[in-house]
Amino acid sequence: IKEELILNTELVKITTEDCDEKFNKAVELLQNEEVVGMPTETVYGLAGNAFSPLAVSRIFEAKGRPTDNPLIVHISEFSEIYNLVKTVPETAKKLAEKFWPGPLTIILPKADKVPFCTTGNLDTVAVRCPSHEIARKLIKLSGLPLAAPSANLSGKPSPTKAKHVFEDLNGRIPFIIDGGDCKEGVESTVITLAGEKPRLLRPGNVTLKELTEVLGEVEVDDAVLNPLKNNETAASPGMKYKHYSPDAEVFVVEGDMKAVKKKTDELLKENGDKVCGVLTMSENAYDSAIILSGGTTNKQYAKLLFSNLREFDRLGVEVVFAEFESRDGYGLAIRNRLYKAAAHKVIKV
């Protein structure tokens, strides 16, 4: 870590009842182009003034994030979008009416005042209005749109608890707000309205089915389930680089649960010389493995996914076999995160 990044990171628990008093320092830091770890309903974000190249540079530096990876800009209410984009089409208004505040990010052509460092040198900007009360209050009190990628070291599993932020960024940022565990557990759905047709770039808890009910046809970007092609520009966070990965090597074992159980047993035997873990979404039992439960629904699996991946690292696991069987509309979001965490090492059975 560069010497200028060595800080005394303050971790402060804040509730909606007492946040006016305790927000003063966080607001002051943001207004002075510093960065702050903040809770949202999806994952914890690393927030800074979206209009400030200095604040944005501090976000990238603290995370060790490539600067061509665009950031999502967070607002406290719909009217603030007009400061960030050139025009607001009816499609964006319909989506915002249905899903904001909430876990949906909308990409539109950016206003000139939004610096290219915030957008990864793109002519578009990604905007979201979170539903977390503390996040929205922080945005409102600071008077700033807040660029906020996940508050973790780049490539690591996203943080769903304040302690995850502290584990990754202690000494790198000045302040973390502990607003409790994140409700959703995976990042927002990202849709771009900047092209000819609406296109899903990153699935999340606003499902493809829900988007099509509002907009009609929605294309799904190839990079949702496949690696980005060489020299292809990332239009959204989570597209270009290996993401959400623990130190352990991850393999996805996907299919009917009986076949998954049989295959995972074989893989555990093949890797008997290593400390193995299984992330299960079933009642399957395995010998010679550390087992963590992802619940029995995709929504439960999503909420626990990143926390479980971090727990495997804490337990010293070297190889993780993640069970997966798509069961509902959230399946695309889980598949996307698992494939990225496994660097597309997927075993279909």
Side-chain angles (χ1 to χ4, degrees), residues 252-291:
V252 182
V253 188
E254 179 178 346
D256 175 79
M257 271 299 132
K258 288 184 179 179
V260 166
K261 169 72 164 78
K262 182 179 178 182
K263 185 63 178 179
T264 301
D265 278 327
E266 293 173 6
L267 291 166
L268 289 172
K269 289 176 182 176
E270 292 170 10
N271 290 270
D273 59 334
K274 298 175 182 174
V275 181
C276 294
V278 177
L279 179 55
T280 177
M281 63 182 308
S282 67
E283 299 300 320
N284 289 344
Y286 297 96
D287 296 329
S288 308
I290 294 171
I291 301 173

Side-chain angles (χ1 to χ4, degrees), residues 41-43 65 69-74 95 99-100 102-108 119 122 124-129 148-150 186-195 197-212 215 218-225 233-240 243-244 332-333 336-337 340:
E41 76 279 18
T42 56
V43 300
R65 182 186 177 103
N69 207 359
L71 304 178
I72 292 172
V73 180
H74 294 66
L95 288 173
F99 300 114
W100 280 5
L104 176 68
T105 294
I106 301 171
I107 295 178
L108 291 165
T119 66
L122 300 175
T124 55
V125 62
V127 186
R128 180 166 101 83
C129 180
S150 55
V186 293
E187 297 82 357
S188 61
T189 301
V190 179
I191 187 169
T192 180
L193 302 179
K197 294 181 180 179
R199 187 157 44 102
L200 178 67
L201 301 183
R202 183 177 72 186
N205 280 336
V206 175
T207 66
L208 178 61
K209 182 176 183 291
E210 289 174 317
L211 293 172
T212 58
L215 299 178
V218 176
E219 296 178 342
V220 178
D221 196 278
D222 184 65
V224 165
L225 294 180
T233 301
S236 163
M239 291 182 73
K240 186 168 185 179
H243 268 66
Y244 324 119
L332 187 61
N336 168 264
R337 301 316 191 276
K340 300 287 186 186

Side-chain angles (χ1 to χ4, degrees), residues 32 57 148 230:
N32 285 292
S57 72
N230 288 338

Side-chain angles (χ1 to χ4, degrees), residues 9-20:
T9 300
E10 190 174 354
L11 176 62
V12 179
K13 189 167 184 62
I14 292 177
T15 67
T16 52
E17 288 74 26
D18 62 15
C19 60
D20 282 336

Side-chain angles (χ1 to χ4, degrees), residues 58-87:
R58 284 174 167 157
I59 291 172
F60 283 116
E61 192 170 16
K63 281 179 61 69
R65 182 186 177 103
T67 57
D68 63 346
N69 207 359
L71 304 178
I72 292 172
V73 180
H74 294 66
I75 58 178
S76 66
E77 58 184 53
F78 178 77
S79 62
E80 295 167 14
I81 196 173
Y82 291 96
N83 293 323
L84 300 167
V85 304
K86 287 187 174 179
T87 58

